[in-house]
Amino acid sequence: MYEAVTAYPAGDSTVSRQAATAADYGYSGLVVRTREADFDADAINDPYGVDAVRGIEIDAADPESAAGSVGNHRRDCTVLLVRGGTDALNRYAVETDRIDVLSRPMTGDGDFNHVLAKAAKTHNVHVEFDFGPVLRSSGGRRVQAIQRLRKLRELVEQYDTPFVVSVGADSHRQLRAPRELRAVGEQIGFEASQITAGLEAWGEIVARNRERQGEDFIEPGVRRGRYEP
Amino acid sequence: MKHLPKHIRPRWRYLAVGIESAPDAEIDRGAFQRALWYAAGNLLGDAGSADADLTVFGFEYADGVGEAIVRTRRGETDAARAALACIDSVDDDPIGLVVRGISGTVRACEESYLRGRSPDSVEETVAFADDQRPAIRRDDIVEISMPEGFVAATELDLH
């Protein structure tokens, strides 16, 4: 199971510290959302046994600037995320094959509907369930966050949209173990198996993209064979 | 009042909880219990919170790391785990929490899952982000004091 985290300098903990905590909690890998984060994946894997993966989360104001960043950063990272939050950005992200994950689609003015759910399935863009506000806010904001997660969950179940689960941790203290997330998920209407699937989906994205970045890969289903010059 | 015969006493489960916080955070048992009740009340509601009946039994905390034993009714351990996961801070100090295991007695809980005293921390100066900075080190983890607050790192990040 993998988690996706924000690390120093954008967050309060470095990648290696997040990895130390993730290893303790039973995760096998971490996707690092922060582009500026500086880390050595091999050095981290040695003591902690956690696969630290270079990801980039694009936080753009509109689809045009997001598209520019997608073109610039797609080759630099294994997992490319685009932060949603407006209807235009959500729509752009789910219709772009080069994007792996649409993160936080329901924050701010963002909303999700059946059209986006179908498009995300067609283009194999994973939609993120952000558990951060459920774990870290209270009162009306938390009620709204749970309502929005429910709406998103119903659409994802109906249209079989690929999804990921994350707590959006800025520091290692905000990480929670998979069993805790399953328990919280069950309290707010998820099934435990959905949470597990959402955490494992990060690992599937990483494996798929690493295969695509490999030298033998030509296109899905086509590999460089023995007879290739 | 005379205590209940053994077969109708409530059955309890004890959750071993690992706690982590900033090295300068002061957390005591009372504050942790309040945060736990608050989290349970908010997530599970009054009825669910009463069912879970969460009580902090053992509590030990020093220099940013701690352990607690939380008692709940048998059959409510999932609700208890969910309520614990929703504690994000105690008295405005952010904390990390993990349930290390669940036992049927306090003693088994301590023996199986709690590690006792954590290794002592030492204050020293480390090289991080192109400068020498004061830090607190415990084993391989380092809390580095920066102008904007502590940065949590490990010795892999030091140059």
Side-chain angles (χ1 to χ4, degrees):
Chain A
M1 274 176 270
Y2 281 55
E3 243 291 23
V5 298
T6 305
Y8 178 83
D12 293 335
S13 308
T14 62
V15 176
S16 65
R17 183 62 179 276
Q18 299 260 27
T21 306
D24 188 28
Y25 290 0
Y27 288 103
S28 56
L30 274 186
V31 175
V32 181
R33 301 172 190 252
T34 313
R35 180 161 62 92
E36 298 83 10
D38 180 26
F39 65 96
D40 179 352
D42 293 332
I44 289 172
N45 199 4
D46 182 34
Y48 303 120
V50 166
D51 178 21
V53 182
R54 168 65 69 192
I56 292 177
E57 184 170 25
I58 293 166
D59 187 6
D62 51 61
E64 290 75 29
S65 50
S69 303
V70 168
N72 288 338
H73 300 311
R74 176 69 267 191
R75 285 175 179 280
D76 303 338
C77 61
T78 309
V79 181
L80 186 69
L81 306 92
V82 169
R83 185 176 295 191
T86 66
D87 292 344
L89 268 171
N90 287 353
R91 172 89 190 260
Y92 163 73
V94 296
E95 290 180 349
T96 310
D97 290 310
R98 304 180 81 189
I99 295 172
D100 296 315
V101 176
L102 165 62
S103 69
R104 304 179 196 184
M106 307 298 269
T107 49
D109 301 329
D111 204 354
F112 211 73
N113 62 18
H114 58 293
V115 180
L116 301 193
K118 282 189 233 177
K121 180 169 170 56
T122 310
H123 296 275
N124 201 12
V125 176
H126 290 64
V127 179
E128 183 190 50
F129 287 108
D130 180 17
F131 272 55
V134 179
L135 297 174
R136 297 191 291 273
S137 65
S138 61
R141 293 170 63 94
R142 191 191 204 188
V143 173
Q144 278 185 344
I146 296 174
Q147 283 172 339
R148 288 168 163 203
L149 278 183
R150 182 186 174 127
K151 179 178 183 183
L152 189 58
R153 185 181 75 235
E154 286 170 350
L155 286 164
V156 161
E157 284 171 358
Q158 176 76 38
Y159 294 102
D160 199 18
T161 310
F163 63 95
V164 290
V165 169
S166 171
V167 300
D170 287 343
S171 105
H172 67 287
R173 292 180 199 107
Q174 294 179 354
L175 274 177
R176 291 291 179 267
R179 284 188 82 165
E180 266 85 310
L181 287 184
R182 283 197 283 269
V184 173
E186 283 187 327
Q187 290 294 330
I188 61 171
F190 284 82
E191 283 171 24
S193 59
Q194 287 178 309
I195 306 293
T196 310
L199 294 173
E200 284 173 348
W202 291 107
E204 289 156 17
I205 296 170
V206 170
R208 184 196 67 187
N209 287 358
R210 282 193 176 144
E211 190 195 343
R212 288 187 177 181
Q213 287 169 341
E215 287 187 357
D216 290 344
F217 184 87
I218 295 172
E219 67 173 1
V222 185
R223 300 278 177 287
R224 189 181 298 275
R226 273 176 292 168
Y227 308 110
E228 200 72 22
Chain B
M1 198 184 289
K2 189 167 173 59
H3 57 246
L4 291 169
K6 200 156 190 175
H7 64 285
I8 44 175
R9 277 181 218 163
R11 306 288 176 158
W12 303 107
R13 285 291 177 266
Y14 299 88
L15 285 76
V17 181
I19 301 169
E20 208 184 341
S21 187
D24 57 350
E26 294 289 333
I27 297 173
D28 61 18
R29 182 194 159 140
F32 184 69
Q33 174 76 75
R34 266 199 309 283
L36 179 59
W37 277 331
Y38 186 71
N42 277 339
L43 184 73
L44 310 171
D46 291 347
S49 177
D51 281 342
D53 200 358
L54 293 161
T55 314
V56 177
F57 243 63
F59 188 85
E60 207 175 286
Y61 173 89
D63 301 334
V65 283
E67 289 168 339
I69 295 176
V70 174
R71 189 185 76 175
T72 186
R73 277 181 179 262
R74 187 178 70 178
E76 298 289 334
T77 49
D78 281 344
R81 201 186 272 276
L84 277 165
C86 292
I87 304 176
D88 74 316
S89 62
V90 175
D91 289 345
D92 295 328
D93 290 317
I95 65 166
L97 273 180
V98 61
V99 177
R100 300 210 179 278
I102 301 178
S103 295
T105 63
V106 175
R107 186 165 170 186
C109 188
E110 281 171 349
E111 288 176 359
S112 308
Y113 302 114
L114 298 185
R115 296 163 185 179
R117 284 291 303 157
S118 56
D120 288 331
S121 51
V122 278
E123 291 188 25
E124 58 184 33
T125 305
V126 298
F128 180 75
D130 305 327
D131 208 349
Q132 295 288 321
R133 297 174 195 280
I136 299 168
R137 181 197 284 256
R138 190 184 325 110
D139 265 359
D140 60 337
I141 64 171
V142 192
E143 305 276 349
I144 302 163
S145 177
M146 302 279 275
E148 61 273 22
F150 280 103
V151 169
T154 68
E155 58 188 9
L156 295 176
D157 298 305
L158 308 178
H159 313 298

